[in-house]
Amino acid sequence: MKEILKNYAQLMKFTLSFTVVFTCVICYMLAPKVASYDWMMILILTFAGLCITGSANAINQAVEKDTDAQMKRTANRPVASGRMSQQHAYLFALITGIVGIALMWYYFNLSSALVSAFSLFLYAFIYTPLKKVNSIAVLVGAFPGALPCLIGWVAGNDDFSFAGWSLFLVQFLWQFPHFWAIAWVAHQDYSSVGFKLLPAKEGPTRFTAVQSIMYAVLMIPVGFLPHYLGVTGEWSMWVVLVANIFMVVQCVRLYQNMGVPAARRVMFSSYIYLPIVFLALLADKM
């Protein structure tokens, strides 16, 4: 049983899925119409989010079975290693996808269910195959990567107001330095299977570092929007500003050093960025 649960956790990329659902739940709690927190609704949203994100990741692993098997970092995934069949992964994705979207519709609203379905489709069927075609895949993938913020907002507020989109933008821009740092560190693995995920065809170059700096700099003005659109108070705005400046500094260090250790610093900095920023936004509402 323990081995089976471990396989399913790897299939849905539980840690990654939980991170995505975390920001979705925080944005739901930030919605003005969610004046008091019903923890049962929060648990339902968490479960639905894990189902939808897990479904997208399961399809990703089923589609990339042969590719995953060729890379060190992914060879032990359940489908790639042969511990789980491709058909089993697709069935899991179908069931969890339907369950997650149905829960969003029944317990929250149709709008959040439709955006969830669109996000799943975009990630699994557009972004996933595009990774071998063109580096624009990172731009395309940034949309389903940030849509959970909007989904959470819409689930709570039942509208597509600018405030909800400001939260979407925070996570949308964050993904570029985050993902390019990962692609920099894993460049040999990615290039060996034909993934085109860095903005420069030559691989990790100063152009990639400059692009990372540009998006990190754009995060600074966007970080002011949640406050000025009335989502949160003033002190969280300063927390977000400090976090954004920190990301810019890490990207500048990548440009200066041009090495895997610097890229790894950007990567780990981006991991701690999201919980700090979104928890600060929530605490300021509370």
Side-chain angles (χ1 to χ4, degrees):
M1 177 59 75
K2 185 178 179 181
E3 190 64 29
I4 292 173
L5 291 175
K6 182 180 177 182
N7 285 338
Y8 280 118
Q10 286 183 315
L11 181 66
M12 68 185 297
K13 301 181 186 175
F14 182 81
T15 303
L16 174 62
S17 295
F18 187 81
T19 302
V20 170
V21 173
F22 166 80
T23 56
C24 176
V25 171
I26 295 294
C27 291
Y28 167 78
M29 296 171 75
L30 283 169
K33 289 184 181 179
V34 184
S36 60
Y37 300 132
D38 184 335
W39 293 103
M40 182 55 67
M41 294 296 284
I42 290 172
L43 286 173
I44 292 170
L45 178 60
T46 301
F47 180 73
L50 286 172
C51 283
I52 295 163
T53 309
S55 174
N57 287 327
I59 294 171
N60 174 272
Q61 289 188 47
V63 170
E64 295 181 348
K65 174 177 72 73
D66 296 331
T67 301
D68 282 349
Q70 298 174 54
M71 296 191 292
K72 281 183 182 180
R73 61 190 296 272
T74 56
N76 195 45
R77 287 176 176 173
V79 182
S81 65
R83 300 194 308 275
M84 185 182 291
S85 70
Q86 203 172 24
Q87 292 73 19
H88 192 129
Y90 279 127
L91 179 61
F92 173 86
L94 178 64
I95 294 171
T96 53
I98 290 173
V99 168
I101 292 167
L103 287 172
M104 293 301 300
W105 189 355
Y106 184 82
Y107 284 100
F108 298 97
N109 47 59
L110 177 60
S111 296
S112 63
L114 290 175
V115 179
S116 297
F118 175 68
S119 180
L120 194 164
F121 173 80
L122 194 58
Y123 181 89
F125 300 107
I126 305 298
Y127 163 71
T128 294
L130 197 57
K131 288 194 288 184
K132 287 192 173 184
V133 178
N134 192 281
S135 61
I136 200 173
V138 176
L139 172 63
V140 173
F143 284 92
L147 278 174
C149 294
L150 187 63
I151 292 167
W153 178 271
V154 173
N157 232 45
D158 200 12
D159 66 27
F160 290 90
S161 61
F162 287 126
W165 285 104
S166 73
L167 298 170
F168 166 88
L169 281 174
V170 169
Q171 190 151 313
F172 179 79
L173 293 173
W174 163 86
Q175 288 177 90
F176 292 93
H178 166 75
F179 195 80
W180 283 330
I182 294 174
W184 190 305
V185 172
H187 175 65
Q188 287 189 339
D189 252 1
Y190 283 161
S191 60
S192 69
V193 296
F195 283 166
K196 300 172 181 179
L197 298 172
L198 289 172
K201 293 181 180 179
E202 298 80 8
T205 63
R206 291 200 182 274
F207 179 71
T208 298
V210 169
Q211 291 288 300
S212 297
I213 294 170
M214 286 173 56
Y215 280 96
V217 169
L218 284 174
M219 289 162 63
I220 293 176
V222 167
F224 288 104
L225 291 178
H227 169 64
Y228 283 105
L229 292 172
V231 179
T232 60
E234 186 175 336
W235 77 262
S236 62
M237 178 183 72
W238 300 113
V239 173
V240 175
L241 176 61
V242 171
N244 286 335
I245 292 173
F246 180 72
M247 285 299 301
V248 172
V249 169
Q250 295 307 314
C251 291
V252 169
R253 290 180 69 185
L254 175 61
Y255 177 83
Q256 291 172 333
N257 299 327
M258 290 297 296
V260 169
R264 196 171 276 118
R265 278 195 296 271
V266 175
M267 182 176 70
F268 286 120
S269 297
S270 67
Y271 283 136
I272 64 172
Y273 175 91
L274 284 186
I276 289 173
V277 164
F278 280 92
L279 286 175
L281 293 174
L282 180 61
D284 209 6
K285 178 193 176 183
M286 296 169 67

